[in-house]
Amino acid sequence: MAKQANKRSGKKKEQGSVRKHIKTFWIIIGSGVFLIFLLFLLASWGAFGKLPDETSLENPEKDLATQIISEDGEVIGKFFKENRTPVQYEDLPEHLVNALLATEDVRFYDHAGIDGRGTVRAFAFLGTRGGASTISQQLATQFFTGARARNKFQRGIQKVKEWIIATRLERRYTKEEIITMYFNVYDFLNLAIGIESASNIYFDKAPQDLNIEESAMLVGMFKNASLYNPRRNPEGVMNRRNVVLRQMAKYDYITEKQKDSLQQLPLNVKFTPQDHDEGIGTYVREYIRGYMKTWAKENPKPDGSLYDINSDGLKIYTTINANMQKYAEEAVDAHMPRLQKEFDKQNQKNKTSPFRDITKEEIDQIMNSAMRRTDRWREMKGKGISEKDIIESFSKKTQMKIFSWGGDIDTLMTPMDSIRYYKNFFRASLLSMTPQTGEIKAWVGGINYKHFKYDMVETGRRQIGSTFKPFVYATAIDQMHMSPCDTLPNTPWTIPAGKHGNMKDWSPKNSDGQYGGMMSLRGALASSVNTITARLIDRVGPRPVLDLVEKMGVDTEEVLEVPSIALGTPDITLYEMVGAYSTFANEGVYVKPILVQRIEDKNGTILYQNIPETKDVISKETAYVTVSLMEGVTQGGSGSRLRHAYAKERSDYKSIITGYPYEFNNPIAGKTGTTQNNSDGWFMGMVPNLATGVWVGGEDRATHFGSTRYGQGAAMALPIWGVFMKKCYEDETLDVSKGSFKKPEKISIETDCKAYKNQNEGDTDEIPDDEIDF
């Protein structure tokens, strides 16, 4: 009995012990669940740091890049703190999304922000068999929790926050919206934030154009962009890409055969940086930056704050045609190295190179002035360094990267020597626009924005030489009804002191020294005869000419009202010149050049829409007759090399007349221009629906060729125009006109000189191609 009693007592004790352990187990489990619940509750209340509210979840704060968009829809530049441009889900190719799901979250469509199976697996195997972070959690990290904490406790709290935010994101957004946001926020490095920037920077294409292996590479970077950086670790990137492809095959997004084939392909990265010194349209983008700063001040947001072009995600729609911009830059890049090579060759024995015709004192003045305008000078001055020490620093050699047409060069050079080195380079600019609308199609402000930031389209003013003469002729035609076939004596002409504002007698000479006989206006403009132009300005006076160009958009405030303006002494911008010349092609109506067509905010709301500004300046007849005169320049004057091909073997043609022979046979109205000492070379050329101007010259007027054969506008600037137009004509999508200029229905001025009786001068004879043109 006693034994039975002991057995029963032992069983009771044993059962009590089991029950106690079970109770303890459930207490522990319950406590754990309670603590986890409490932890989540406290975290949701903000006990461990503020969580985003509903407004933040609705509009996550991320800086968006402002886009500059060409007329043909191409993004030609951006302004940004972070180079981020959002895309829509529809812009993501299916294989890109599949690559993400296969690699980062295969059960994405089966959970509500937290992957239970993955979480249990991660706890059970301590993360050795993969993590449990879902796409929603990773998005929460990107948006709200920031960089991963190093402290384990803080990391645990951070993870809890991620879970809470992830579930909120899942309630707020659709699965497709979460995927889209995830692609839009990730930093792929090299100024590539978001899939739009990444696809363009690494493959030079839009996201929707990515192929499978390219998508796999970009998705592979989600694991660790710093480690899997295509520029620094191509082998690691390829291995990671192949892992993504293997995952895609594992989950049947691609076949095993596809996987094996794709894994053998190279990365084929086409790195295309999007910083402010690279890409097309660098000068025009910088102009737009200044334009937008002014616009933002004048057009504040509804709350009174100013738009920030670096973070508000604006879209600036421009009139620039991406292809024409590319052709313009290619034309400059084709001609300028050849011109520079010839200039350097001719300067080998020039002891004052790159300067000519000035004294040592004048050279020292140029160099000292340039030294004081450098960033180095300003920075050292701002640090309180004495002027003596600053000047001494300019004579100490330092490591630097300098420009060359063959690519940047790392060298050791004194800052003063570098200043002189850069002054050796000729600069160039080109502007092309549609006369009828004022829309600017191409804008090249210099030869290399990284090294030469001064814009010679809209900012730089230079003497314009004979390109001013058509305004004098147009005034004479308008006032006196003169015909291109009317003749004047080609004899010396003096406008005495006291007349037309002259301080002393003015007697311009012809550049070729040739005088005698009668010349038609057509022949005189084609040959750029100064005596004929002097006679015309004497007849009409300087004021009507200035009034004309002012109506055509030229700033004449600083221009002296004297007869010498007829030969191109005023300093005018290329921007103003192209706008003024376009008036002739547009039947006498001036249309203010425009670059920004409209501005939209990140939601597509139109903030600005351009309204063309037009002005009737001259009659259709006067405009047409002036155009007819300028056609003579390309038919038998200094611009005739655009048409013929007889000088293929001449040395100057071989060395610097890039693209020759051009052999254009369509109507072209134009005018070359060369200033005193060959300091500036110009060519203004028009076809019915495109007006294009080109300027070439040194930073200083003392930087120039020693002879007019090489320094005239027909050699310096015209080749850029010729190469540009050939490229435009080869691109049939541009529809650049080859037709005739529109003739008014009623015209009383004769332009056909063959029908003109008593014609004493054979103005249709071809003028020697090396005609000196001032």
Side-chain angles (χ1 to χ4, degrees):
M1 294 290 294
K3 287 183 177 180
Q4 290 179 344
N6 287 335
K7 285 183 179 179
R8 286 196 295 269
S9 175
K11 286 182 178 179
K12 286 181 180 180
K13 288 181 180 180
E14 187 177 334
Q15 290 173 351
S17 178
V18 170
R19 283 196 293 270
K20 183 179 180 181
H21 286 305
I22 292 173
K23 184 178 181 181
T24 302
F25 171 78
W26 285 111
I27 289 173
I28 292 172
I29 294 297
S31 298
V33 171
F34 175 75
L35 288 173
I36 292 172
F37 174 77
L38 182 62
L39 184 66
F40 273 86
L41 185 64
L42 291 172
S44 65
W45 287 346
F48 304 116
K50 187 178 180 182
L51 286 175
D53 56 21
E54 292 298 310
T55 302
S56 298
L57 288 173
E58 188 71 37
N59 298 291
E61 293 185 7
K62 285 292 180 182
D63 292 335
L64 300 179
T66 288
Q67 296 176 286
I68 304 171
I69 303 170
S70 67
E71 67 161 7
D72 42 344
E74 185 172 326
V75 177
I76 60 173
K78 297 180 181 180
F79 302 126
F80 53 82
K81 293 175 183 174
E82 295 182 340
N83 186 14
R84 185 196 322 276
T85 302
V87 298
Q88 302 299 315
Y89 184 79
E90 294 75 22
D91 298 323
L92 304 174
E94 185 179 8
H95 52 72
L96 178 66
V97 175
N98 291 341
L100 177 68
L101 297 177
T103 309
E104 298 292 331
D105 192 354
V106 73
R107 287 182 291 278
F108 176 69
Y109 283 98
D110 299 326
H111 62 67
I114 300 174
D115 182 3
R117 287 171 57 186
T119 302
V120 171
R121 184 192 65 229
F123 274 117
F125 297 98
L126 300 178
T128 59
R129 295 192 181 180
S133 186
T134 65
I135 290 174
S136 301
Q137 287 175 251
Q138 293 178 49
L139 181 62
T141 302
Q142 292 284 332
F143 270 140
F144 304 110
T145 59
R148 178 173 180 151
R150 295 184 178 180
N151 180 284
K152 290 185 177 180
F153 175 75
Q154 290 179 337
R155 178 55 188 155
I157 296 300
Q158 196 177 53
K159 202 69 180 176
V160 171
K161 288 183 179 180
E162 287 176 14
W163 284 339
I164 294 170
I165 297 170
T167 56
R168 289 184 178 180
L169 288 171
E170 290 273 353
R171 291 198 303 268
R172 171 67 61 182
Y173 297 103
T174 66
K175 291 288 187 178
E176 288 74 18
E177 288 172 331
I178 290 172
I179 287 175
T180 305
M181 285 191 289
Y182 187 60
F183 273 115
N184 280 332
V185 302
Y186 190 76
D187 186 351
F188 292 87
L189 300 186
N190 297 307
L191 297 178
I193 300 180
I195 192 65
E196 194 274 344
S197 296
S199 60
N200 278 282
I201 287 176
Y202 291 119
F203 296 109
D204 194 24
K205 59 176 65 175
Q208 56 265 39
D209 297 325
L210 293 169
N211 57 37
I212 296 176
E213 65 271 21
E214 291 167 345
S215 294
M217 191 204 88
L218 293 175
V219 167
M221 294 178 71
F222 281 122
K223 186 174 180 65
N224 186 333
S226 296
L227 177 60
Y228 300 111
N229 183 337
R231 298 192 70 195
R232 295 185 177 181
N233 183 17
E235 184 178 350
V237 171
M238 179 174 285
N239 291 336
R240 180 60 186 166
R241 180 204 67 178
N242 290 345
V243 169
V244 175
L245 291 171
R246 188 166 64 244
Q247 288 294 105
M248 293 180 74
K250 177 181 177 180
Y251 294 107
D252 297 326
Y253 290 119
I254 59 175
T255 65
E256 285 290 328
K257 185 177 180 181
Q258 280 181 297
K259 179 205 72 174
D260 293 338
S261 175
L262 294 172
Q263 285 182 335
Q264 301 305 312
L265 297 176
L267 290 177
N268 288 327
V269 170
K270 185 180 179 182
F271 186 65
T272 310
Q274 290 187 343
D275 63 26
H276 300 303
D277 290 344
E278 305 287 346
I280 69 168
T282 47
Y283 289 93
V284 73
R285 280 149 45 189
E286 194 58 29
Y287 172 80
I288 291 174
R289 185 196 301 278
Y291 175 94
M292 289 301 297
K293 286 181 179 178
T294 302
W295 177 86
K297 289 178 182 178
E298 297 173 351
N299 298 271
K301 297 179 183 179
D303 62 3
S305 63
L306 300 183
Y307 285 101
D308 186 343
I309 63 171
N310 293 315
S311 61
D312 279 339
L314 304 178
K315 290 185 178 180
I316 305 168
Y317 291 89
T318 72
T319 60
I320 292 290
N321 181 282
N323 284 337
M324 293 178 77
Q325 180 68 33
K326 176 186 173 186
Y327 301 151
E329 293 179 10
E330 288 175 349
V332 171
D333 290 345
H335 178 61
M336 293 308 294
R338 300 181 65 183
L339 188 71
Q340 190 66 47
K341 184 177 179 180
E342 181 64 31
F343 181 67
D344 294 343
K345 177 183 175 183
Q346 295 186 21
N347 265 330
Q348 288 176 358
K349 295 182 180 181
N350 177 16
K351 294 180 179 180
T352 60
S353 175
F355 309 111
R356 289 181 182 271
D357 307 322
I358 59 174
T359 65
K360 182 181 182 302
E361 290 73 22
E362 289 172 320
I363 292 174
D364 290 341
Q365 185 177 356
I366 289 173
M367 295 298 294
N368 288 329
S369 176
M371 176 178 65
R372 284 168 167 78
R373 294 196 305 269
T374 62
D375 291 337
R376 171 186 286 269
W377 181 278
R378 285 192 293 269
E379 290 171 4
M380 295 181 76
K381 197 75 172 175
K383 294 177 180 178
I385 300 173
S386 70
E387 188 166 306
K388 178 183 176 183
D389 290 340
I390 296 175
I391 293 173
E392 287 179 356
S393 75
F394 274 79
S395 297
K396 296 178 182 178
K397 288 188 176 182
T398 183
Q399 195 71 33
M400 63 179 69
K401 189 185 292 288
I402 59 174
F403 170 80
S404 82
W405 279 109
D408 288 357
I409 301 171
D410 289 311
T411 188
L412 194 65
M413 182 183 288
T414 69
M416 190 59 83
D417 285 343
S418 74
I419 292 173
R420 191 157 187 153
Y421 172 79
Y422 278 106
K423 285 186 176 296
N424 181 68
F425 285 95
F426 279 126
R427 317 297 168 86
S429 57
L430 179 151
L431 186 70
S432 188
M433 66 172 272
T434 303
Q436 292 75 22
T437 63
E439 295 177 351
I440 295 172
K441 300 302 179 184
W443 174 313
V444 183
I447 58 174
N448 182 289
Y449 181 75
K450 181 179 179 181
H451 294 279
F452 306 92
K453 287 186 164 50
Y454 194 72
D455 189 333
M456 289 303 297
V457 167
E458 199 268 342
T459 307
R461 292 182 171 274
R462 296 297 287 255
Q463 282 191 343
I464 54 174
S466 291
T467 54
F468 193 84
K469 288 178 180 176
F471 303 124
V472 179
Y473 280 71
T475 305
I477 293 166
D478 192 51
Q479 285 191 1
M480 299 183 291
H481 216 63
M482 295 187 75
S483 163
C485 310
D486 286 335
T487 59
L488 292 172
N490 178 20
T491 55
W493 187 257
T494 298
I495 300 179
K499 187 177 183 181
H500 298 315
N502 265 350
M503 299 297 293
K504 58 182 180 179
D505 289 353
W506 183 61
S507 304
K509 295 182 171 67
N510 288 337
S511 57
D512 60 1
Q514 301 295 314
Y515 303 92
M518 302 292 288
M519 290 195 77
S520 69
L521 296 192
R522 183 187 296 278
L525 184 63
S527 302
S528 211
V529 178
N530 291 338
T531 56
I532 302 294
T533 309
R535 289 175 181 273
L536 292 176
I537 193 81
D538 193 15
R539 291 189 182 189
V540 301
R543 173 42 54 190
V545 177
L546 290 178
D547 288 343
L548 174 68
V549 296
E550 190 172 332
K551 292 176 184 177
M552 292 178 170
V554 176
D555 182 1
T556 62
E557 187 175 351
E558 302 292 326
V559 180
L560 296 176
E561 189 180 325
V562 292
S564 61
I565 63 171
L567 304 188
T569 57
D571 288 349
I572 298 177
T573 67
L574 180 61
Y575 178 91
E576 292 171 333
M577 286 295 289
V578 174
Y581 264 66
S582 292
T583 306
F584 297 125
N586 193 34
E587 301 181 277
V589 178
Y590 169 74
V591 183
K592 184 177 180 180
I594 62 166
L595 183 62
V596 176
Q597 194 69 273
R598 76 177 186 277
I599 302 169
E600 295 180 0
D601 67 12
K602 62 182 179 182
N603 299 314
T605 302
I606 296 177
L607 305 175
Y608 166 81
Q609 180 70 55
N610 174 71
I611 299 175
E613 297 180 34
T614 65
K615 184 188 301 179
D616 291 335
V617 178
I618 51 178
S619 68
K620 291 182 179 180
E621 182 177 46
T622 298
Y624 178 78
V625 173
T626 306
V627 166
S628 178
L629 275 170
M630 287 192 283
E631 284 187 88
V633 174
T634 67
Q635 292 166 351
S638 55
S640 62
R641 63 184 59 181
L642 289 171
R643 303 192 179 283
H644 65 59
Y646 65 73
K648 291 182 183 181
E649 302 305 318
R650 268 184 29 184
S651 61
D652 55 334
Y653 278 74
K654 285 184 176 181
S655 62
I656 62 170
I657 311 301
T658 311
Y660 181 84
Y662 310 104
E663 299 182 287
F664 294 115
N665 54 22
N666 56 291
I668 299 172
K671 187 71 188 79
T672 56
T674 311
T675 61
Q676 192 69 31
N677 294 328
N678 312 308
S679 295
D680 304 271
W682 291 80
F683 184 72
M684 307 295 299
M686 300 181 294
V687 295
N689 65 349
L690 195 67
T692 305
V694 180
W695 167 86
V696 175
E699 179 184 4
D700 304 283
R701 297 186 195 278
T703 302
H704 58 78
F705 276 106
S707 70
T708 304
R709 177 182 294 276
Y710 293 94
Q712 62 177 304
M716 296 258 281
L718 180 144
I720 294 176
W721 192 94
V723 173
F724 170 66
M725 289 300 292
K726 283 183 77 171
K727 289 176 178 289
C728 288
Y729 280 131
E730 288 168 2
D731 187 343
E732 295 181 358
T733 64
L734 298 178
D735 196 27
V736 177
S737 174
K738 289 187 176 181
S740 300
F741 290 90
K742 186 176 181 181
K743 187 175 182 178
E745 293 182 3
K746 296 181 180 179
I747 184 167
S748 58
I749 299 175
E750 182 60 65
T751 59
D752 182 2
C753 296
K754 289 182 179 180
Y756 211 67
K757 290 184 178 181
N758 300 319
Q759 179 69 27
N760 295 317
E761 193 269 338
D763 58 281
T764 58
D765 292 341
E766 191 169 76
I767 294 166
D769 189 69
D770 59 353
E771 181 70 52
I772 295 176
D773 173 30
F774 279 96

